[in-house]
Amino acid sequence: MQLSPSLTALIEALRCLPGIGPKSAQRIAFHLLERDRDGGTQLGGCLTKAMQVIGHCESCRTFSESAQCDICQSVKRQDSRLLCIVESPTDVLAIEQTGQYQGLYFVLMGHLSPIDGIGPKEIGLDLLEQKLSQGNIDEVILATNPTVEGEATAHFIGELCHKYQVEASRIAHGMPVGGELDLVDGMTLMHAFSGRRSLGS
Amino acid sequence: MQLSPSLTALIEALRCLPGIGPKSAQRIAFHLLERDRDGGTQLGGCLTKAMQVIGHCESCRTFSESAQCDICQSVKRQDSRLLCIVESPTDVLAIEQTGQYQGLYFVLMGHLSPIDGIGPKEIGLDLLEQKLSQGNIDEVILATNPTVEGEATAHFIGELCHKYQVEASRIAHGMPVGGELDLVDGMTLMHAFSGRRSLGS
Ligand SMILES: [Zn+2]
Ligand SMILES: [Zn+2]
């Protein structure tokens, strides 16, 4: 027995979702057809539209439907003269959700990875260099991931900041708040020790 | 910070997928935008089309893009004079995958559930009764789920078959092949005992 062509195509297409195998794809397709056709139609339209209209902010490279994102357009953010460098738009979201940072961002959309052919240009460092040369930024906060590639990328951008005499800082690594010492990996523990601060003053 | 409107709408729409909470929806949306826009566009089109063109077979009620599904159109299946009653199109799929059954199906798209307002008409029993009255079926195989509702539905349809003098049988319940006795629930074990067969002959 063959499933109808549109159903077969839908099950196949659902496989593009991360973590969805053939069995789950089938289950989702039948669920939508049996119980939530309105939801399925809605999702179809939203997907088509999002993939079409969402591009990248020409200033910080994060996802945006307009030429510049809301954050880049904010005068208050521009006046902060702070630029936080992250690997992905989800990092921007995570930082914004803390409500503590009020500066600008620059989103690399990845990290340096020479063996994958991802060099400075691929992560927008030409655009970043242009930004640094304009003299509107006092401090660059390097918030790439604490991985080998993230550290290498932070180091490379640190050199770039040095060239334009812009101060660069790296976010602190250490024990997650509420974490237990014996459950944390060795690298984190090492960072927690080397980054220790005096309790005095 | 606000996400762009189309991105917010996409994350919201992804929630219609079973088992997808707000965090997973966000992760999926960013994954598609960052790494698989073609897949996302493809899925959008497939969803829109499937929800539009997939209806129900007018003869057996399973999902179909044409008035009658392939199985109902098969002369070989019609000649079997067997009609298997299941609750859902996925049950048809499961039975077809065994390759052992060569008869027709009738898909209830649910089961009797008076407290939810699901009576005989809602699960297509008027259409089934019409089928039984035409004299083209020799045996009805009741393959609804072994749940309280499934059993009640099977019983109700059994009475209908009796009225039209069509033989009705219920699929056997018992130990799953390869199952371990002490891991099986009591109801299944009870069915396994009451449905025991003599080893002789
Ligand atoms: Zn921006
Ligand atoms: Zn059919």
Side-chain angles (χ1 to χ4, degrees):
Chain A
M1 176 220 185
Q2 297 275 351
L3 287 174
S4 77
S6 300
L7 183 48
T8 307
L10 173 58
I11 292 171
E12 192 49 47
L14 282 163
R15 300 285 305 279
C16 77
L17 301 178
I20 300 297
K23 203 76 195 170
S24 302
Q26 187 188 300
R27 195 173 50 88
I28 292 172
F30 280 92
H31 168 89
L32 293 176
L33 284 167
E34 278 179 50
R35 275 172 244 151
D36 196 6
R37 285 187 183 237
D38 287 351
T41 302
Q42 179 84 1
L43 177 56
C46 285
L47 271 168
T48 304
K49 183 165 184 213
M51 299 302 138
Q52 224 163 44
V53 305
I54 299 175
H56 294 273
C57 169
E58 63 186 18
S59 175
C60 76
R61 293 173 40 108
T62 199
F63 292 133
S64 178
E65 283 170 60
S66 42
Q68 278 208 347
C69 73
D70 290 354
I71 291 181
C72 287
Q73 285 182 51
S74 151
V75 176
K76 189 178 138 214
R77 300 270 188 163
Q78 288 163 16
D79 288 348
S80 76
R81 302 179 64 85
L82 286 172
L83 184 68
C84 177
I85 315 246
V86 294
E87 295 187 22
S88 130
T90 47
D91 299 332
V92 173
L93 216 59
I95 296 171
E96 285 297 299
Q97 273 159 6
T98 69
Q100 299 300 304
Y101 177 72
Q102 295 293 326
L104 297 164
Y105 292 92
F106 187 81
V107 183
L108 303 171
M109 300 300 296
H111 47 236
L112 288 176
S113 184
I115 46 162
D116 301 314
I118 301 171
K121 210 188 152 99
E122 282 70 31
I123 58 170
L125 297 192
D126 44 352
L127 179 58
L128 178 63
E129 194 160 353
Q130 197 182 308
K131 242 182 222 297
L132 294 175
S133 72
Q134 284 160 354
N136 298 322
I137 301 296
D138 287 342
E139 182 186 348
V140 161
I141 299 167
L142 297 158
T144 53
N145 291 326
T147 56
V148 173
E149 296 88 352
E151 295 292 353
T153 306
H155 182 78
F156 190 95
I157 298 172
E159 300 284 307
L160 218 56
C161 293
H162 185 72
K163 180 172 162 196
Y164 292 95
Q165 295 176 303
V166 174
E167 201 188 315
S169 61
R170 181 86 175 103
I171 52 163
H173 300 315
M175 287 291 298
V177 176
E180 291 180 49
L181 208 86
D182 57 351
L183 295 178
V184 147
D185 66 290
M187 192 64 99
T188 301
L189 209 50
M190 208 186 69
H191 276 297
F193 270 78
S194 64
R196 69 190 180 278
R197 294 197 199 168
S198 164
L199 284 176
S201 83
Chain B
M1 175 222 184
Q2 296 275 352
L3 288 172
S4 77
S6 301
L7 183 49
T8 307
L10 173 58
I11 292 171
E12 192 48 47
L14 281 163
R15 300 285 304 281
C16 77
L17 301 177
I20 300 297
K23 204 76 196 170
S24 302
Q26 187 187 301
R27 195 172 51 87
I28 292 172
F30 280 92
H31 168 89
L32 293 175
L33 285 167
E34 278 178 51
R35 276 173 241 149
D36 196 6
R37 286 187 182 238
D38 286 351
T41 302
Q42 178 84 2
L43 177 56
C46 285
L47 269 169
T48 304
K49 183 164 184 215
M51 299 302 138
Q52 224 162 46
V53 306
I54 299 175
H56 294 273
C57 169
E58 62 185 20
S59 174
C60 75
R61 297 175 34 111
T62 200
F63 292 133
S64 178
E65 283 170 61
S66 42
Q68 277 208 347
C69 73
D70 289 356
I71 291 181
C72 288
Q73 285 182 51
S74 151
V75 177
K76 189 177 140 215
R77 301 271 188 162
Q78 290 163 15
D79 288 347
S80 76
R81 302 180 64 85
L82 286 172
L83 184 67
C84 176
I85 315 245
V86 293
E87 294 187 23
S88 132
T90 46
D91 299 331
V92 173
L93 216 60
I95 296 170
E96 285 297 299
Q97 272 158 7
T98 69
Q100 299 299 305
Y101 177 74
Q102 294 293 326
L104 297 164
Y105 292 93
F106 187 80
V107 183
L108 303 172
M109 301 300 297
H111 47 237
L112 289 176
S113 183
I115 46 163
D116 300 314
I118 300 170
K121 210 187 154 103
E122 282 69 32
I123 58 170
L125 297 192
D126 45 351
L127 180 60
L128 178 63
E129 195 161 353
Q130 198 182 310
K131 243 182 220 301
L132 295 175
S133 71
Q134 283 160 355
N136 298 321
I137 302 297
D138 287 342
E139 183 185 347
V140 162
I141 300 168
L142 296 159
T144 52
N145 291 325
T147 56
V148 174
E149 296 88 352
E151 296 292 354
T153 306
H155 181 79
F156 190 95
I157 298 172
E159 300 283 306
L160 218 55
C161 293
H162 188 244
K163 179 174 160 192
Y164 291 97
Q165 294 175 306
V166 174
E167 202 187 314
S169 61
R170 181 86 174 103
I171 52 162
H173 300 316
M175 287 291 298
V177 176
E180 292 179 49
L181 208 86
D182 56 351
L183 295 179
V184 147
D185 66 290
M187 192 65 97
T188 301
L189 209 52
M190 206 186 70
H191 275 297
F193 270 78
S194 64
R196 68 191 182 277
R197 296 199 197 166
S198 164
L199 285 174
S201 83

